[in-house]
Amino acid sequence: MTTTAEHDQPLVGDELTATSGYEALGDDIRLLGRLLGDVVRDQAGDATFELVESVRRIAVDGRRNGSSSVNDLEAVLGSQPVDQVIHVIRAFDWLSLLANTAEDLHVERRRRHHLSVGSVAQPGSLEATFNRLEAGGVPAERIRSLLADLMVSPVITANPTEVRRKTILDVLGDVSELLDRHDRLGGRDRRRDEVVRELDAKILTLWQTAILRLSKLRVSDEINEALRYYDVSLFETIPRLAADLERFALDRFGADTIDTSRSISMGSWIGGDRDGNPFVTADVMRLAIGRQAQVALGHHLDELRRLSIELSMSVRLITPTAELLALADASGDDSPFRADEPYRRALRGMYARLYAFAEVVLGREVDEIGGPVPRIELPAYTSLDELVAELDVVATSLRSHGASDLAEVSVEPVRRALAVFGAHLCGLDMRQNSAVHELVVSDLLAGAGVTTRYLDLDEAARVAVLTDELSSPRLLRHPTAEYTDTTVGELDVLHAAATAVRQLGRRAVPHYVISMANAVSDVLEVAVLLKEVGLLRTATSRSPARCDLDIVPLFETIGDLAGSADTLAALLAHPVYGELIASRSDVQEVMIGYSDSNKDGGYLSSQWNLFAAQAALVDVAADAGVRLRLFHGRGGTVGRGGGPAYQAVLAQPPGSVDRAIRVTEQGEMVAAKYARPALARRNLETLVAATIRASCTAVDGDDAGSDRHREIMATLAGTAFDSYRSLVYGDDRFVTFFREITPTNEIATLNVGSRPASRKKSEAIEDLRAIPWVFGWTQCRLMIPAWFGAGSAFESFAGTHDEGGEAAGDLLREMYGDWPFFRTIIDNMGMVLAKADIEIGRRYADALVTDETARSEIFARIEHEHTLTRRWHERITGSPDPLSDNPLLARSLRNRYPYLDPLHVMQVDLLRRYRAERDGSDPGADPESELVQRGIQLTINAIATGIRNSG
């Protein structure tokens, strides 16, 4: 290993911008870059190291001078063999990952610093939010009521943009821990040298570890990938945050008692989302539910075992309660070594009963839990509520003899975790497309002799047929009838869900989401299917109708959003469905889709239609006397509804965040938010705080926007829609342009997800999923899903405004200053404009788009629209810097750009080589196609890492 002094240049130099308070982050990144440089030199040789350094210097100098370094980078990299290029790609990829790790750690470091010095409560924290509400005169009674009903639920989905392997995430976790230790030791502590050696070993491990998976992820792999975050952060973070909410309610707002165990809960789609994924079957759903139960019960058993070791109190020294002694006597533990230790005996009995419960739930899979098999056989708990009650006995007994601190510190967290996670861990949603439901219902109706023409019926006739079935207790499925494979498969999934609900309770499978819902019949069809497996029961003379889970219509396209309020009004007016809603405490959940509405109509149109739809849905629900709960299908990028969560929640229409919110967590954002306890705490607390604050917004508050502002926004959205659609769907050449300028086809070869990239075998944009659509535009840095059409909309508004462009600019600036919704749109657009790079996009177009006329005309439209959008963003915000409101992100991006530029140059060259050979258009193309394809995949991974929210 060479020493630092022997290096002519470090892998990270003075390109890191110095910002007050961020010197420690710069030091961390420089240390990691130096160690990575050591590894590159030792493992790949001096020539490779010098090549990486040369590329870095060219890119840094180009960015620093404000000039393009593309030609110089091409001159250096173009003559290199593919295997050498791959070394360079890997070096920049690892550097980006290590920088991300350092940045995430720095977030934790800043939070610790603010706490240690007693800083003013930070924006987005619970304390700052409660301070603001109190200062605004919100009554304590209202806050108490809100906290009692609060429900915040992030839902982890399996969308395929997380390209990193679990192995790599684990090593990066170790790097983060070592960096933290290095920082805490201080500059003169000699133990730092040992930490640096350990860091060096971890970075060497990364260099010798393959970044890419050899095989495509299965759904089972995705299930396990998501479950790792419970042990990493969620088991620790959620109960603590719930406890903090309880303390605020009791100590600050005068609540007598409050239960916050249901306030924050995780959800999942992995193993229950069948929409477009043929690999999600009944067996897979059973696997998902079983693995979730294994993780939950394994955690609870570990905690009980820990308590049975910690609570060593002797009756020779204390006097426990009679109830505690009864638990000890019932445990069957007759060890003479614990004869005077009733807590240990009681907890061993509780462990045995919980283990027996796990055997009932998991069967032979109980062995996968890994804990010791109890020596005593006791009857299983019938419900975990019994275990919670027994832990209350333990805590009460501890308090009775002066050990209240032990009850609070040791027992209460275990009790709270049981209440939060239960045996189910998290709610597994089911999702399927409405087109599948109608086929299954049609098959069942035909088999039962009801009608063979269901698919030919109009909406009113369908509703009539479905209403009759929901009014009758009889089932449609007949044991001798023959059904299609689709029908059999769908019913098998529903039977698996019904079994889970019987074993683990309603929280195990709490929601059924209907994709592409646009009619009342779409919802009633699911109700009929749930009735077939006992998850819905019709009304009888002795009992009302009842449904065990929420049926959730998902409105996705611009058209569906526009009609969503009418659909909901008709649904809530349906007499039979009204009975089912009553059985769900008069709560109706509706999901709104950001991704598909954006792909359908562009960013500005999508955002306005989502806002308008929510406002209309709120009014419809209020008129029907029903409480509306919204589920936001947001992605990681602005083009898929992403952006800062706190501002996003506050920007919703007044009344739409009514004590509850659900939101999807997708792809690479899951690791970014939950890879460490501090990150999980920050993200969950921000979401909870925003939900609390938004729930206190008056329905007629200023956040709704004035009538004039909403009228202007509708006009802007319409113009932006037309501009976007004319490019994406109005030019027959655009599909080919998109497929050529982006590596979308090559992205499909990455082994990052189980679900196909398109809903059906088609090249059409309509059939492409929103994730690869956004992912592809991110790779070439044009990012049109998050801004295209906005510039034309602003320009058109200025041109048609009575008083000319200046007055229009004043109005838009007024909207930006006064309306949180519009400000959030513009600020999020600014984040993307800062990441977009027309010159890099031009390089992709020039090198990869084969039709010269199409290339010239379509790219000219994109460039013109980008210029308009940047110009209007500056006029509206008053700053030429699109990130003037977000200096932290601006600093991060400035540090990243020099490492992204070479990756784009290498990706373009590799794509050109690969496609030339594949198409046979270049007889001299590189014969090492497998190596070239691997290089492309590595660049896709590396660029996604550098951009961070890529899909």
Side-chain angles (χ1 to χ4, degrees), residues 262 266-269 272 285 288-290 292-293 361 421-430 496-511 535 548-549 584:
R262 305 290 176 90
M266 300 300 294
S268 175
W269 276 11
M285 187 168 188
I289 292 167
Q292 289 175 189
V361 171
F421 299 107
H424 68 292
L425 187 70
C426 63
L428 180 66
D429 289 359
M430 290 187 285
T499 300
V501 170
R502 284 195 300 272
Q503 286 189 328
L504 301 171
R506 290 186 181 187
R507 294 167 71 194
V509 188
H511 309 95
L535 288 171
D548 287 337
L549 69 170
R584 305 295 298 168

Coordinates of all heavy atoms in Angstrom, one line a residue, residues 262 266-269 272 285 288-290 292-293 361 421-430 496-511 535 548-549 584:
R262 N -50.4 3.4 16.9 CA -50.8 3.3 15.5 C -50.5 4.5 14.7 O -50.9 4.6 13.6 CB -52.3 2.9 15.5 CG -52.7 1.7 16.3 CD -52.2 0.4 15.7 NE -52.6 -0.7 16.5 CZ -53.7 -1.4 16.4 NH1 -54.6 -1.1 15.4 NH2 -53.9 -2.5 17.1
M266 N -45.5 1.3 9.0 CA -45.0 1.1 7.7 C -45.9 0.2 6.9 O -46.7 -0.6 7.4 CB -43.6 0.4 7.7 CG -42.5 1.2 8.4 SD -42.2 2.8 7.7 CE -41.5 2.3 6.1
G267 N -45.9 0.4 5.6 CA -46.7 -0.5 4.7 C -45.7 -1.1 3.6 O -44.6 -0.7 3.5
S268 N -46.2 -2.0 2.8 CA -45.4 -2.6 1.8 C -46.3 -3.0 0.6 O -47.5 -3.4 0.8 CB -44.7 -3.8 2.3 OG -44.0 -4.5 1.3
W269 N -45.8 -3.0 -0.6 CA -46.4 -3.5 -1.8 C -45.7 -4.8 -2.3 O -46.1 -5.4 -3.2 CB -46.4 -2.5 -2.9 CG -47.6 -1.5 -2.8 CD1 -48.4 -1.3 -1.8 CD2 -48.0 -0.6 -3.9 NE1 -49.3 -0.3 -2.1 CE2 -49.1 0.1 -3.4 CE3 -47.5 -0.3 -5.1 CZ2 -49.7 1.1 -4.1 CZ3 -48.1 0.7 -5.9 CH2 -49.2 1.4 -5.4
G272 N -47.5 -8.1 -2.8 CA -48.9 -8.0 -2.9 C -49.3 -7.2 -4.2 O -50.5 -7.2 -4.5
M285 N -47.2 -14.2 -2.2 CA -47.9 -13.4 -1.2 C -47.8 -14.1 0.2 O -47.5 -13.4 1.2 CB -49.4 -13.1 -1.5 CG -50.0 -12.2 -0.6 SD -51.6 -11.6 -1.2 CE -52.0 -10.4 0.1
A288 N -44.3 -13.4 1.4 CA -44.1 -12.1 1.9 C -44.7 -11.9 3.3 O -44.1 -11.4 4.2 CB -44.8 -11.1 1.0
I289 N -45.9 -12.4 3.5 CA -46.6 -12.3 4.8 C -45.8 -13.2 5.8 O -45.6 -12.7 7.0 CB -48.1 -12.8 4.7 CG1 -48.8 -11.8 3.9 CG2 -48.7 -13.0 6.1 CD1 -50.2 -12.3 3.4
G290 N -45.4 -14.4 5.4 CA -44.6 -15.2 6.4 C -43.3 -14.6 6.7 O -42.9 -14.6 7.9
Q292 N -42.5 -11.4 6.7 CA -42.8 -10.3 7.6 C -43.0 -10.7 9.0 O -42.5 -10.1 10.0 CB -44.0 -9.4 7.1 CG -43.6 -8.7 5.8 CD -44.8 -8.0 5.2 OE1 -44.7 -7.5 4.0 NE2 -45.9 -8.0 5.9
A293 N -43.8 -11.8 9.2 CA -44.1 -12.3 10.5 C -42.9 -12.9 11.2 O -42.7 -12.7 12.4 CB -45.2 -13.4 10.4
V361 N -48.3 -19.6 13.9 CA -48.4 -18.7 12.7 C -47.5 -19.2 11.6 O -47.8 -19.1 10.4 CB -48.0 -17.2 13.1 CG1 -47.8 -16.3 11.9 CG2 -49.0 -16.7 14.1
F421 N -45.7 -3.1 15.8 CA -45.4 -4.0 14.7 C -46.2 -5.3 14.8 O -46.3 -6.0 13.8 CB -43.9 -4.4 14.8 CG -43.0 -3.2 14.5 CD1 -42.2 -2.7 15.6 CD2 -42.9 -2.6 13.3 CE1 -41.4 -1.6 15.4 CE2 -42.0 -1.5 13.1 CZ -41.3 -1.0 14.1
G422 N -46.8 -5.6 16.0 CA -47.6 -6.8 16.1 C -46.9 -8.0 15.6 O -45.6 -8.1 15.7
A423 N -47.6 -9.0 15.1 CA -47.0 -10.2 14.5 C -46.9 -10.0 13.0 O -46.3 -10.8 12.3 CB -47.9 -11.4 14.8
H424 N -47.5 -8.9 12.5 CA -47.6 -8.7 11.0 C -46.4 -7.9 10.5 O -46.2 -7.9 9.3 CB -48.9 -8.1 10.6 CG -49.0 -6.7 11.1 ND1 -49.1 -6.3 12.5 CD2 -49.0 -5.5 10.5 CE1 -49.2 -5.0 12.6 NE2 -49.1 -4.5 11.4
L425 N -45.8 -7.1 11.3 CA -44.7 -6.2 11.0 C -45.2 -4.9 10.3 O -45.0 -3.8 10.8 CB -43.6 -6.9 10.1 CG -42.3 -6.0 9.9 CD1 -41.5 -5.9 11.2 CD2 -41.5 -6.7 8.8
C426 N -45.8 -5.1 9.1 CA -46.3 -4.0 8.3 C -47.5 -4.4 7.5 O -47.6 -5.6 7.3 CB -45.2 -3.4 7.5 SG -44.6 -4.5 6.2
G427 N -48.3 -3.5 7.1 CA -49.4 -3.9 6.3 C -49.0 -4.2 4.8 O -48.3 -3.4 4.2
L428 N -49.4 -5.3 4.3 CA -49.1 -5.7 2.9 C -50.3 -5.3 2.1 O -51.3 -6.0 2.2 CB -48.7 -7.1 2.8 CG -48.4 -7.6 1.4 CD1 -47.1 -7.0 0.9 CD2 -48.2 -9.2 1.4
D429 N -50.2 -4.3 1.2 CA -51.3 -4.0 0.4 C -51.4 -5.0 -0.8 O -50.4 -5.5 -1.3 CB -51.1 -2.6 -0.2 CG -51.3 -1.5 0.8 OD1 -51.6 -1.8 1.9 OD2 -51.1 -0.3 0.4
M430 N -52.6 -5.2 -1.3 CA -52.8 -5.8 -2.6 C -53.0 -4.8 -3.6 O -53.7 -3.7 -3.3 CB -54.0 -6.8 -2.5 CG -53.7 -8.0 -1.7 SD -55.0 -9.3 -1.8 CE -56.3 -8.5 -0.8
A496 N -55.2 -16.3 0.0 CA -54.0 -16.2 0.8 C -54.1 -14.9 1.7 O -53.7 -15.0 2.9 CB -52.7 -16.0 -0.1
A497 N -54.7 -13.9 1.2 CA -54.9 -12.7 2.0 C -55.9 -13.0 3.1 O -55.7 -12.5 4.3 CB -55.4 -11.6 1.1
A498 N -57.0 -13.7 2.8 CA -58.0 -14.0 3.8 C -57.4 -14.8 5.0 O -57.7 -14.6 6.2 CB -59.2 -14.7 3.2
T499 N -56.5 -15.8 4.6 CA -55.8 -16.6 5.6 C -55.0 -15.7 6.5 O -54.9 -15.9 7.8 CB -55.0 -17.7 5.0 OG1 -55.8 -18.5 4.2 CG2 -54.3 -18.5 6.0
A500 N -54.3 -14.8 5.9 CA -53.4 -13.9 6.7 C -54.2 -13.0 7.7 O -53.8 -12.8 8.8 CB -52.6 -13.0 5.8
V501 N -55.4 -12.5 7.2 CA -56.2 -11.7 8.1 C -56.7 -12.5 9.3 O -56.8 -12.1 10.4 CB -57.4 -11.1 7.3 CG1 -58.4 -10.4 8.2 CG2 -56.8 -10.1 6.3
R502 N -57.1 -13.8 9.0 CA -57.6 -14.7 10.1 C -56.4 -14.9 11.1 O -56.7 -14.9 12.3 CB -58.1 -16.0 9.5 CG -59.4 -15.9 8.9 CD -60.0 -17.3 8.7 NE -59.2 -18.1 7.8 CZ -59.3 -18.2 6.5 NH1 -60.2 -17.4 5.9 NH2 -58.5 -19.0 5.8
Q503 N -55.2 -15.2 10.6 CA -54.1 -15.5 11.5 C -53.5 -14.3 12.3 O -53.2 -14.4 13.4 CB -53.0 -16.2 10.7 CG -53.3 -17.6 10.4 CD -52.1 -18.3 9.8 OE1 -51.3 -17.7 9.1 NE2 -52.0 -19.6 10.0
L504 N -53.4 -13.2 11.5 CA -52.6 -12.1 12.0 C -53.4 -10.8 12.3 O -52.9 -9.8 12.8 CB -51.5 -11.7 11.0 CG -50.5 -12.9 10.8 CD1 -49.5 -12.5 9.6 CD2 -49.7 -13.2 12.0
G505 N -54.7 -10.8 11.9 CA -55.5 -9.7 12.1 C -55.6 -8.8 10.8 O -54.9 -8.9 9.9
R506 N -56.5 -7.8 10.9 CA -56.8 -6.9 9.8 C -55.5 -6.1 9.3 O -55.4 -5.7 8.2 CB -57.9 -6.0 10.1 CG -59.3 -6.6 10.2 CD -60.3 -5.5 10.4 NE -61.7 -6.1 10.5 CZ -62.7 -5.3 10.6 NH1 -62.6 -4.0 10.5 NH2 -63.9 -5.9 10.7
R507 N -54.7 -5.8 10.3 CA -53.5 -5.0 10.0 C -52.6 -5.7 9.0 O -51.7 -5.0 8.4 CB -52.8 -4.6 11.2 CG -53.6 -3.7 12.1 CD -52.9 -3.5 13.5 NE -51.7 -2.8 13.5 CZ -50.8 -2.7 14.5 NH1 -51.0 -3.5 15.6 NH2 -49.8 -2.0 14.3
A508 N -52.7 -7.0 8.9 CA -51.7 -7.7 8.0 C -52.0 -7.4 6.5 O -51.0 -7.3 5.8 CB -51.9 -9.2 8.2
V509 N -53.2 -7.3 6.1 CA -53.6 -6.9 4.7 C -54.6 -5.9 4.8 O -55.8 -6.2 4.7 CB -54.0 -8.2 3.9 CG1 -54.2 -7.8 2.4 CG2 -53.1 -9.3 4.0
P510 N -54.2 -4.6 4.9 CA -55.2 -3.6 5.2 C -55.9 -2.9 4.0 O -56.9 -2.3 4.2 CB -54.4 -2.6 6.0 CG -53.0 -2.7 5.5 CD -52.9 -4.1 5.1
H511 N -55.3 -3.0 2.8 CA -55.8 -2.2 1.7 C -55.8 -3.1 0.4 O -54.9 -3.9 0.2 CB -54.9 -1.0 1.4 CG -54.7 -0.1 2.7 ND1 -53.6 -0.2 3.5 CD2 -55.5 0.8 3.2 CE1 -53.7 0.6 4.5 NE2 -54.9 1.3 4.4
L535 N -63.6 -11.9 2.9 CA -63.1 -10.7 3.4 C -64.2 -9.6 3.4 O -63.9 -8.5 3.9 CB -61.9 -10.2 2.6 CG -60.6 -11.1 2.9 CD1 -59.5 -10.7 1.8 CD2 -60.1 -10.9 4.3
D548 N -63.3 -6.2 5.6 CA -62.2 -6.3 6.5 C -61.0 -5.5 6.0 O -60.0 -5.4 6.7 CB -61.7 -7.8 6.6 CG -62.7 -8.6 7.4 OD1 -63.4 -8.0 8.2 OD2 -62.7 -9.8 7.3
L549 N -61.1 -4.9 4.8 CA -60.0 -4.0 4.4 C -60.5 -2.9 3.5 O -61.6 -2.9 3.0 CB -58.9 -4.8 3.6 CG -59.3 -5.4 2.2 CD1 -58.0 -6.0 1.6 CD2 -60.3 -6.6 2.3
R584 N -66.1 0.6 8.0 CA -64.7 1.1 8.0 C -64.6 2.4 8.7 O -63.7 3.2 8.4 CB -64.1 1.2 6.6 CG -64.2 -0.1 5.7 CD -63.4 -1.2 6.3 NE -62.0 -0.9 6.3 CZ -61.1 -1.7 7.0 NH1 -61.5 -2.7 7.6 NH2 -59.8 -1.3 6.9

